[in-house]
């Protein structure tokens, strides 16, 4: 930042603080502006802080050291999570300074897996409100409720219904931990400014008896209505968002599978929105497949794919793989014919009567079978992707059959948590005699097999959605398309070096996540301009322009 632009910024800040009468304790309690012990003597004088803070004036780094020391005294990740939530409520800059200092360490604490435990116990560990809660009781009144949000320039709402939280099922209003965590990752992983981000929970009740009987549960104490009954309410919400926040993208997160598919199909062509469970998951799988194809020296369009699990994640991946095959030159029909699905009732084939609309295009002509091995032996897939929620289903005969079909069988075991993985990294490498190109939904440790080191990848959505969100944020995109997710996938895949791929690594190291995502965000933003989907003018240099808008966890000088 140049001296003159920082002066303008500072003057604006001083005026902002004065115009809002933010002084004294009010200022200390406003997390976005609070600097705590880092307020200078001049700022303490100007804003009525004298006597309200200990005399020492510290730097952000000194405060950060104290945070690290205090975190070190906690004995569980859930305690660290609670500490960090309170830090975010107290001092936003220090919170982001902390988690951005070591993403590989902090992301599993502020997000998956710790956030799962935090959601289970949400009503018990609750401290302060964050984001917005809109319940069925507010039907007909959603515009007025949204008007209560103090920020006018909301640019992304991450909204959950709590319908299917991670692999934990229906958690009702406890699901709020997810939109909060997802949006923190926008900022921590891709520098999206937190000011325009709004976590939101649509409370339709819950069918979870444990929660309904928990005296500390904070949500609506009723069971969920049918999907048909919800449509009018969700339509009202979506329309109210368009009116109140015209440049806002809606990120749907952790809705029940069928609801997720239904609402994505309902709105994706009409407004700027995406569903991370469907499109983000699919996109990170594409990133993995791009590198798997480089390792196998093959093209995606020539592969046979078998999806094991045909829920929202499986359908999203199957659709995105066909989109990616079409970008490689296949027709719709050709691409669809290469992707097969298998679910709890067996192979999806043309005589099945129990399929939903999104599954039918993948139900090809084949005799019915409930045995995965039989399906593998007739379809002969080179890519097998597990999103079934059932652990240990890729057993030794399955992995051996895949290894007979191709030289480098691609086996992704994405169900999580760990015990639900269809097979472990060690099993995949051992049973395939080191041939498998493997990724999981969780992080497995490195594997030594036959004198060689293998680095199993984690197909974590956090590689993708912050980058897409950054691009949507800066360009004020009109729509979010599959092509944008595929571009993010390719950009992510391109950041894995030959040497890393040699060891089986399919995704970039998490320690470098910020640069990875910003680079992917730049590629997606460039595509948005190319497709005329931006609502701002195209700058001369997209990279420089985008980097100039990134959030940095630094204090501003309020008084010069
Ligand atoms: P879902 O519940 O919508 O779908 C599960 C599917 O698996 C259904 O089609 C069901 O019929 C099938 N299934 C269940 N038992 C089966 C069995 N014994 N044999 C064959 N198929 C069976 O769940 P969703 O949302 O699609 O997620 C699936 C899994 O994928 C979850 O474990 C989730 O944690 C994981 N996932 C991983 C991601 C990642 O690694 N980035 C992202 C999203 C989901």
């Amino acid at each position: 930042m140049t001296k003159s632009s920082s002066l303008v910024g500072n003057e604006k800040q001083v005026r902002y603080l004065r115009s809002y009468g933010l002084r004294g304790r009010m200022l200390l309690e406003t997390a976005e502006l609070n600097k705590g012990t880092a307020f200078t003597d001049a700022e303490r004088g100007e804003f009525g802080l004298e006597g309200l803070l200990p005399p020492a004036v510290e730097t952000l780094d000194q405060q950060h050291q104290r945070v690290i020391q205090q975190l070190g005294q906690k004995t569980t990740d859930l305690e660290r999570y609670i500490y960090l939530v309170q830090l975010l409520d107290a001092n936003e800059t220090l919170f982001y300074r902390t988690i951005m200092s070591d993403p590989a360490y902090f992301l599993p604490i502020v997000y998956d897996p710790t956030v799962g435990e935090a959601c289970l116990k949400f009503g018990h560990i609750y401290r302060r409100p964050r984001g917005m809660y809109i319940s069925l009781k507010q039907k007909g009144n959603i515009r007025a409720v949204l008007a209560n949000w103090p920020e006018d320039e909301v640019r992304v709402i991450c909204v959950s219904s709590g319908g299917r939280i991670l692999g934990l099922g229906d958690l009702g209003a406890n699901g709020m931990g997810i939109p909060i965590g997802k949006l923190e990752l926008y900022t921590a992983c891709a520098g999206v400014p937190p000011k325009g981000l709004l976590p939101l929970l649509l409370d339709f009740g819950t069918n979870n008896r444990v929660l309904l009987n928990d005296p500390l549960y904070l949500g609506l104490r009723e069971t969920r209505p049918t999907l048909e009954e919800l449509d009018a309410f969700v339509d009202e919400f979506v329309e109210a968002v368009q009116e109140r926040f015209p440049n806002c993208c809606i990120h749907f997160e952790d809705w029940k599978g069928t609801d997720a598919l239904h609402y994505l199909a309902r709105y994706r062509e009409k407004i700027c929105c995406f569903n991370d469970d469907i499109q983000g998951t699919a996109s990170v799988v594409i990133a993995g497949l791009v590198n798997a194809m480089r390792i196998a020296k093959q093209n995606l369009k020539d592969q046979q794919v078998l999806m094991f699990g045909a829920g929202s994640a499986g359908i999203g991946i199957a659709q995105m793989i066909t989109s990616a095959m079409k970008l490689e030159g296949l027709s719709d029909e050709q691409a669809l014919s290469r992707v097969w699905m298998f679910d709890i009732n067996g192979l999806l084939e043309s005589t099945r009567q129990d399929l939903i609309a999104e599954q039918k295009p993948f139900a090809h002509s084949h005799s019915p079978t409930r045995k995965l091995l039989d399906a593998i032996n007739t379809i002969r897939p080179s890519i097998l992707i597990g999103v079934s929620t059932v652990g240990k289903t890729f057993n030794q005969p399955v992995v051996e059959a895949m290894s007979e079909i191709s030289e480098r069988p691609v086996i992704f075991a994405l169900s999580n948590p760990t015990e639900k993985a269809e097979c472990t990294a060690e099993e995949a490498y051992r049973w395939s005699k080191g041939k498998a190109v493997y990724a999981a939904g969780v992080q497995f440790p490195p594997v030594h097999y036959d004198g060689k080191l293998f680095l199993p990848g984690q197909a974590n959505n956090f590689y993708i959605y912050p980058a897409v969100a950054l691009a949507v944020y800066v360009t004020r995109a009109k729509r979010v398309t599959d092509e944008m997710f595929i571009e993010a996938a390719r950009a992510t895949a391109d950041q894995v070096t030959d040497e890393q791929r040699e060891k089986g690594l399919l995704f970039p190291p998490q320690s470098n996540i910020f640069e990875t995502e910003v680079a992917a965000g730049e590629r997606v933003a460039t595509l948005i301009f190319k497709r005329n989907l931006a609502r701002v003018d195209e700058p001369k240099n997209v990279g420089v322009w985008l980097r100039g808008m990134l959030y940095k966890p630094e204090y501003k000088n309020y008084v010069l």
Side-chain angles (χ1 to χ4, degrees):
M1 195 188 274
T2 63
K3 182 99 180 101
S4 63
S5 71
S6 89
L7 283 179
V8 174
N10 291 328
E11 277 159 17
K12 267 196 198 154
Q13 286 295 334
V14 173
R15 272 207 303 276
Y16 177 77
L17 294 182
R18 283 198 189 121
S19 69
Y20 281 81
L22 279 176
R23 298 174 53 75
R25 285 214 65 84
M26 283 262 289
L27 179 53
L28 294 177
E29 281 163 19
T30 305
E32 307 88 272
L33 301 168
N34 184 24
K35 297 162 69 165
T37 53
F39 278 114
T40 62
D41 286 338
E43 288 167 338
R44 293 175 191 212
E46 175 73 30
F47 297 109
L49 296 169
E50 282 167 336
L52 300 184
L53 290 161
V57 174
E58 294 184 302
T59 62
L60 182 57
D61 280 345
Q62 285 171 309
Q63 293 177 319
H64 172 62
Q65 280 168 25
R66 182 176 298 108
V67 168
I68 296 297
Q69 186 213 307
Q70 292 178 356
L71 277 170
Q73 289 161 0
K74 309 281 174 206
T75 51
T76 65
D77 278 346
L78 186 64
E79 285 175 27
R80 292 184 192 99
Y81 174 92
I82 294 169
Y83 175 90
L84 288 167
V85 167
Q86 289 177 316
L87 179 61
L88 178 59
D89 284 338
N91 183 329
E92 183 179 275
T93 314
L94 184 53
F95 169 81
Y96 283 111
R97 167 74 179 82
T98 301
I99 63 170
M100 290 165 86
S101 68
D102 188 354
Y105 174 75
F106 282 107
L107 296 191
I109 298 175
V110 295
Y111 201 65
D112 198 15
T114 314
V115 74
E117 194 185 351
C119 285
L120 285 169
K121 298 177 178 157
F122 191 77
H124 294 251
I125 62 171
Y126 179 85
R127 273 22 181 208
R128 288 180 60 170
R130 171 165 289 275
M132 293 195 87
Y133 295 80
I134 303 182
S135 84
L136 278 179
K137 288 212 173 91
Q138 283 144 343
K139 191 165 182 223
N141 199 28
I142 297 180
R143 279 169 186 75
V145 175
L146 281 180
N148 288 340
W149 187 248
E151 208 48 70
D152 287 335
E153 259 294 297
V154 170
R155 303 279 290 282
V156 184
I157 290 176
C158 180
V159 58
S160 182
S161 67
R164 195 239 48 190
I165 297 301
L166 306 169
L168 303 167
D170 178 359
L171 294 189
N174 281 20
M176 184 53 146
I178 297 294
I180 291 173
K182 283 267 165 177
L183 291 177
E184 286 169 4
L185 265 59
Y186 275 25
T187 304
C189 298
V192 182
K195 196 168 150 59
L197 306 180
L198 169 57
L200 197 146
L201 189 108
L202 288 183
D203 191 340
F204 308 140
T206 178
N207 295 342
N208 185 326
R209 288 278 146 211
V210 176
L211 294 179
L212 290 172
N213 292 325
D214 180 349
L216 292 185
Y217 179 59
L218 290 162
L220 217 54
R221 279 177 198 271
E222 43 192 69
T223 52
R224 289 178 184 269
T226 62
L227 186 57
E228 292 71 40
E229 288 173 85
L230 282 186
D231 277 353
F233 183 82
V234 181
D235 281 351
E236 182 191 338
F237 166 73
V238 166
E239 279 163 30
V241 168
Q242 308 308 302
E243 276 177 32
R244 170 86 174 98
F245 309 117
N247 289 313
C248 184
C249 173
I250 300 180
H251 164 168
F252 292 95
E253 185 67 41
D254 280 6
W255 291 54
K256 198 176 79 187
T258 39
D259 298 6
L261 289 161
H262 172 75
Y263 289 117
L264 181 62
R266 193 173 178 91
Y267 303 121
R268 65 186 296 169
E269 303 297 337
K270 294 187 188 141
I271 61 160
C272 180
C273 70
F274 68 94
N275 182 305
D276 179 56
D277 304 300
I278 300 172
Q279 294 161 290
T281 300
S283 176
V284 76
V285 169
I286 297 288
L289 289 179
V290 168
N291 277 326
M293 290 300 101
R294 285 177 182 153
I295 290 170
K297 300 190 175 51
Q298 298 269 332
N299 292 314
L300 185 60
K301 69 178 168 65
D302 300 324
Q303 310 308 307
Q304 289 286 336
V305 181
L306 179 56
M307 301 297 313
F308 185 69
S312 55
I315 290 170
I317 296 167
Q319 290 173 339
M320 194 78 79
I321 290 176
T322 51
S323 294
M325 285 178 166
K326 285 194 284 180
L327 287 173
E328 288 188 7
L330 295 194
S331 67
D332 212 11
E333 207 179 310
Q334 288 169 325
L336 283 170
S337 73
R338 296 193 155 273
V339 183
W340 295 75
M341 303 194 91
F342 197 104
D343 73 0
I344 194 159
N345 296 320
L347 184 68
L348 273 60
E349 38 76 25
S350 41
T351 67
R352 285 265 303 257
Q353 296 300 315
D354 58 336
L355 305 181
I356 60 169
E358 288 83 356
Q359 293 170 327
K360 285 182 183 159
F362 302 99
H364 311 301
S365 176
H366 191 288
S367 50
T369 176
R370 284 178 172 262
K371 290 199 180 120
L372 174 61
L373 204 52
D374 288 351
I376 290 175
N377 285 329
T378 53
I379 295 165
R380 301 188 62 76
S382 45
I383 298 174
L384 177 65
I385 298 177
V387 271
S388 65
T389 72
V390 188
K392 302 285 170 209
T393 33
F394 295 170
N395 54 20
Q396 188 164 354
V398 165
V399 174
E400 284 175 353
M402 289 295 295
S403 311
E404 271 166 33
I405 294 165
S406 53
E407 206 30 55
R408 300 303 307 266
V410 178
I411 300 175
F412 289 180
L414 300 182
S415 290
N416 58 60
T418 308
E419 63 276 11
K420 293 188 173 170
E422 283 78 4
C423 65
T424 66
E426 197 271 332
E427 288 165 343
Y429 295 127
R430 184 158 45 87
W431 292 336
S432 69
K433 300 200 166 42
K435 284 161 70 173
V437 181
Y438 176 87
V442 295
Q443 186 63 64
F444 280 109
V447 174
H448 290 271
Y449 174 79
D450 203 17
K452 216 177 148 192
L453 176 71
F454 293 87
L455 300 176
Q458 185 191 10
N460 198 316
N461 298 29
F462 69 43
Y463 283 112
I464 301 289
Y465 69 82
V468 172
L470 172 64
V472 167
Y473 180 98
V474 295
T475 60
R476 297 179 189 235
K478 292 178 213 162
R479 294 283 179 278
V480 186
T481 62
D482 272 2
E483 192 187 14
M484 286 155 62
F485 274 98
I486 292 171
E487 184 65 9
R490 288 175 173 164
T492 304
D494 286 349
Q495 293 176 72
V496 179
T497 63
D498 288 342
E499 199 186 326
Q500 289 165 338
R501 258 195 302 271
E502 183 64 23
K503 297 194 175 91
L505 199 64
L506 302 179
F507 306 97
Q510 290 178 13
S511 51
N512 201 24
I513 190 114
F514 194 82
E515 259 316 305
T516 302
E517 303 249 2
V518 172
E522 179 184 340
R523 293 245 309 247
V524 178
T526 306
L527 178 73
I528 292 171
F529 284 117
K530 199 165 147 194
R531 296 283 178 257
N532 285 322
L533 287 173
R535 281 184 277 203
V536 297
D537 292 336
E538 183 168 358
K540 278 205 183 77
N541 184 323
V542 175
V544 171
W545 170 78
L546 173 143
R547 282 175 173 72
M549 276 182 266
L550 298 179
Y551 172 81
K552 294 185 191 69
E554 293 165 356
Y555 289 134
K556 293 194 170 60
N557 294 325
Y558 297 140
V559 174
L560 299 172

